Amino acid sequence: AQKVTQAQTEISVVEKEDVTLDCVYETRDTTYYLFWYKQPPSGELVFLIRRNSFDEQNEISGRYSWNFQKSTSSFNFTITASQVVDSAVYFCALSEWGTGNQFYFGTGTSLTVIP
Amino acid sequence: NAGVTQTPKFRVLKTGQSMTLLCAQDMNHEYMYWYRQDPGMGLRLIHYSVGEGTTAKGEVPDGYNVSRLKKQNFLLGLESAAPSQTSVYFCASIMTYEQYFGPGTRLTVT
């Protein structure tokens, strides 16, 4: 079973629109970490955020914000006023404390921001 | 401080050939990982290591072997390459649950 599900395969938005990328995870551990990574066309993986399972506060970093809800096992990522430079593939990932720090990645959401 | 480096960046192999991918990190991290990335599949964990001299299987270990003889290096070996191993390979190391990724190795097996 997929531990991290990113149901949106591809999304296109027009520049300056807001966009939310969905991430649903599955775990039986009480201690775990959630992540978002960005992979621009150049191919490298860029760390965006880490959240532990005990911290449900939403976080905002500039135009980026994250909504963590344990009740729905979701960790969604919103980009406000999108820009062309936001075009990339975004991955959500889960790390469980009890499995030797294995990471499980979703299949990614490809975001295209149209100028 | 180079972070995580991978050698080589690109490689073309013929079916049945062998090769070793090298991952090196200079951050003194204990944990290191090898992933493969295929279109539509995200990143899948091949093998990982929680310290020098230790390795463990991940989600897709078949056809690969690894070694961690030195803390800073994590080697991924393909003994007999198959076309199904055509992929982009990423190495990563972690410190306090933040993964640092290498730039990737694009491997094509013909």
Side-chain angles (χ1 to χ4, degrees):
Chain A
Q2 193 75 9
K3 282 185 172 285
V4 178
T5 301
Q6 294 180 256
Q8 303 151 308
T9 305
E10 296 181 1
I11 300 177
S12 291
V13 299
V14 176
E15 200 170 20
K16 296 185 183 177
E17 286 185 345
D18 299 347
V19 58
T20 295
L21 310 182
D22 297 334
C23 174
V24 174
Y25 62 92
E26 179 184 333
T27 181
R28 294 184 179 181
D29 281 19
T30 55
T31 304
Y32 54 90
Y33 291 79
L34 295 164
F35 302 78
W36 276 96
Y37 289 86
K38 175 182 180 181
Q39 187 175 43
S42 52
E44 75 271 23
L45 285 151
V46 179
F47 167 83
L48 295 178
I49 190 171
R50 177 185 71 246
R51 241 327 169 239
N52 74 57
S53 52
F54 299 108
D55 184 1
E56 282 195 78
Q57 278 192 330
N58 291 330
E59 182 156 339
I60 298 175
S61 176
R63 296 184 296 107
Y64 295 170
S65 62
W66 291 269
N67 183 289
F68 176 26
Q69 291 195 338
K70 288 177 76 171
S71 61
T72 56
S73 297
S74 65
F75 186 44
N76 296 337
F77 172 31
T78 297
I79 302 174
T80 303
S82 59
Q83 299 176 1
V84 172
V85 293
D86 296 326
S87 296
V89 180
Y90 291 86
F91 292 98
C92 180
L94 163 73
S95 179
E96 296 172 318
W97 183 270
T99 57
N101 294 316
Q102 285 198 52
F103 280 72
Y104 302 93
F105 282 79
T107 52
T109 297
S110 178
L111 173 66
T112 300
V113 180
I114 303 165
Chain B
N1 189 336
V4 180
T5 58
Q6 291 182 231
T7 308
K9 289 187 170 50
F10 302 94
R11 186 72 184 270
V12 178
L13 286 179
K14 293 186 177 179
T15 298
Q17 287 185 318
S18 63
M19 78 163 294
T20 300
L21 281 67
L22 170 64
C23 175
Q25 53 97 3
D26 60 3
M27 297 172 283
N28 203 36
H29 291 170
E30 292 291 341
Y31 293 77
M32 297 185 73
Y33 303 79
W34 274 108
Y35 296 91
R36 60 177 290 172
Q37 184 179 22
D38 302 295
M41 302 289 288
L43 278 81
R44 292 182 293 168
L45 183 64
I46 305 171
H47 285 279
Y48 64 102
S49 168
V50 299
E52 182 178 321
T54 68
T55 63
K57 294 180 180 179
E59 184 184 357
V60 289
D62 294 342
Y64 305 94
N65 56 73
V66 289
S67 64
R68 184 99 180 269
L69 299 179
K70 294 182 178 181
K71 187 177 184 178
Q72 64 267 36
N73 295 338
F74 194 29
L75 280 67
L76 178 71
L78 287 73
E79 289 188 351
S80 180
S84 60
Q85 294 177 304
T86 293
S87 187
V88 179
Y89 292 85
F90 285 97
C91 174
S93 66
I94 69 165
M95 179 70 170
T96 58
Y97 280 91
E98 181 172 332
Q99 279 198 95
Y100 294 82
F101 281 91
T105 295
R106 186 172 295 275
L107 175 66
T108 301
V109 183
T110 62

